[in-house]
Amino acid sequence: MWNSLLAFWDQYHGLIIGFAVLALVLFVNQFIFRRGWKSYPAREQYVAAHPGSATAGGVVCAKCRQKAAGMAVASAGRIYRCTWCETELYRVDRA
Ligand SMILES: [Zn+2]
């Protein structure tokens, strides 16, 4: 039984560790986003502070003009961040 478990680990440990790290990063991110939730500007504040970031296709990053990617934050709302410069742009509170 242990042998097959060991063989399984040998074969998939890269994958298992990869998933564990990914889960940990997502978990830590949730914690960080929730903790600093009010420090992120609301969508309206971001647009007001960065004129021109609101385009017909949605709000874009003021720095690199890339569309922000939304990410759900449990019991808080959604955070929009630029995946190019790794910056949090604005938050949308849960309705
Ligand atoms: Zn950016």
Side-chain angles (χ1 to χ4, degrees):
M1 192 253 179
W2 287 110
N3 274 346
S4 61
L5 213 64
L6 220 62
F8 179 80
W9 175 252
D10 258 2
Q11 203 172 355
Y12 293 108
H13 68 275
L15 205 67
I16 294 166
I17 292 169
F19 271 115
V21 168
L22 190 71
L24 189 72
V25 166
L26 287 177
F27 179 78
V28 170
N29 272 354
Q30 291 276 316
F31 180 74
I32 292 171
F33 288 148
R34 261 157 82 174
R35 202 173 152 193
W37 189 245
K38 292 288 172 191
S39 71
Y40 303 112
R43 186 191 167 104
E44 303 76 51
Q45 289 171 315
Y46 186 80
V47 170
H50 306 278
S53 60
T55 69
V59 177
V60 296
C61 174
K63 258 190 266 174
C64 34
R65 317 291 302 162
Q66 296 294 329
K67 204 168 184 316
M71 184 180 144
V73 179
S75 74
R78 285 182 82 77
I79 189 102
Y80 285 80
R81 60 196 306 271
C82 173
T83 50
W84 284 69
C85 59
E86 301 277 320
T87 308
E88 285 73 39
L89 304 181
Y90 60 91
R91 67 171 211 268
V92 174
D93 286 317
R94 199 171 58 145

